Structure formats: structure tokens, C-alpha cells
Amino acid sequence: MTERPRPVDSELVRAAEHVARTRCHGDNHTVAAAARVRDGRIITAVNAYHFTGGPCAELVVIGAAAAQGAYELDTVVAVGDRGRGILPPCGRCRQVLLDYFPGIEVIVGAGDRVRAVAELLPETYVWAD
């Protein structure tokens, strides 16, 4: 089943691009993420690279949102530094996003193929206690 195209939150993409351009410096912070909270706020964060598996920007933005009292995220996007554009979430991030926010939309793609998707893991495992 093919997903219907969803409108892309351009303001969210611009917020992530701005953080990637202005806050990602060196090898430790190379990806920025922005998330839209259900109440309309935008939360941003950067990854914390470490050879032991530091957290991706998408996971940091979840924690940053919680620290600001935001527990219902609607949309998320990650953008690479040095003009690398929108980056799709890795497998671990897809699973965490699905577990925390089952209906979240993720902005993916490049150029005229940028789109928002909600099916992060087709036929997925759903974590439960």
C-alpha cells in the first residue's frame, strides 16, 4: 500500500537547516533535528557523536522536548551539516520514534522528492511491556 503524500512542514525544515548551519561545528555535532510539538512549538537539537554510539539528533530532540514539557511530537526532520540536506532516520531512530510517537510524521527525501511519511517501519515490531 502506497502512502498518500502529506504536506511538508517547510518551517520545520528551515529550523533544522538553520541549526545545522549555525550550531554544527567539528566532528561531534554533525546533524541537527527539529520537531513540531502538537501545540505548534518547534524544538531543535543536534546529535552528540561519539565512537561508542552517541545519540542521533532525533533522539536528542526527544529529550530536549521532554525537558521543555513537550511530550507529543507530530513531525520531525533531521538535516546534515555542510549543506548535506535532509537525512532519513537510522533504524534505531525509526524504532524509537515509532515507540514514543506511533503517529509521528518524518520528513525525508531531497529536492522535489521531499515528503512527510508516517510509515517508518512497515510490518513493524511494536514494543510492549
Side-chain angles (χ1 to χ4, degrees):
M1 176 185 212
T2 303
E3 269 191 53
R4 292 176 52 195
R6 300 166 188 271
V8 172
D9 186 338
S10 299
E11 182 183 22
L12 195 64
V13 174
R14 286 191 303 273
E17 289 171 338
H18 175 76
V19 172
R21 191 173 49 256
T22 61
R23 301 291 183 245
C24 290
H25 302 290
D27 294 334
N28 294 330
H29 309 292
T30 57
V31 177
R36 173 77 67 184
V37 182
R38 187 155 297 152
D39 66 15
R41 286 181 287 164
I42 292 177
I43 309 291
T44 59
V46 298
N47 71 317
Y49 174 80
H50 192 264
F51 72 91
T52 61
C56 297
E58 296 94 332
L59 300 185
V60 177
V61 85
I62 292 171
Q68 295 178 45
Y71 299 98
E72 297 182 21
L73 303 183
D74 284 336
T75 310
V76 68
V77 64
V79 173
D81 66 346
R82 296 174 295 225
R84 292 184 292 143
I86 296 171
L87 302 175
C90 71
R92 177 178 66 169
C93 288
R94 288 172 195 247
Q95 186 67 58
V96 172
L97 288 166
L98 177 70
D99 290 341
Y100 273 59
F101 315 103
I104 197 166
E105 293 184 346
V106 178
I107 299 172
V108 297
D112 62 354
R113 293 191 33 111
V114 172
R115 63 203 181 281
V117 298
E119 190 175 17
L120 300 178
L121 294 168
E123 301 296 325
T124 186
Y125 166 80
V126 176
W127 179 79
D129 286 334

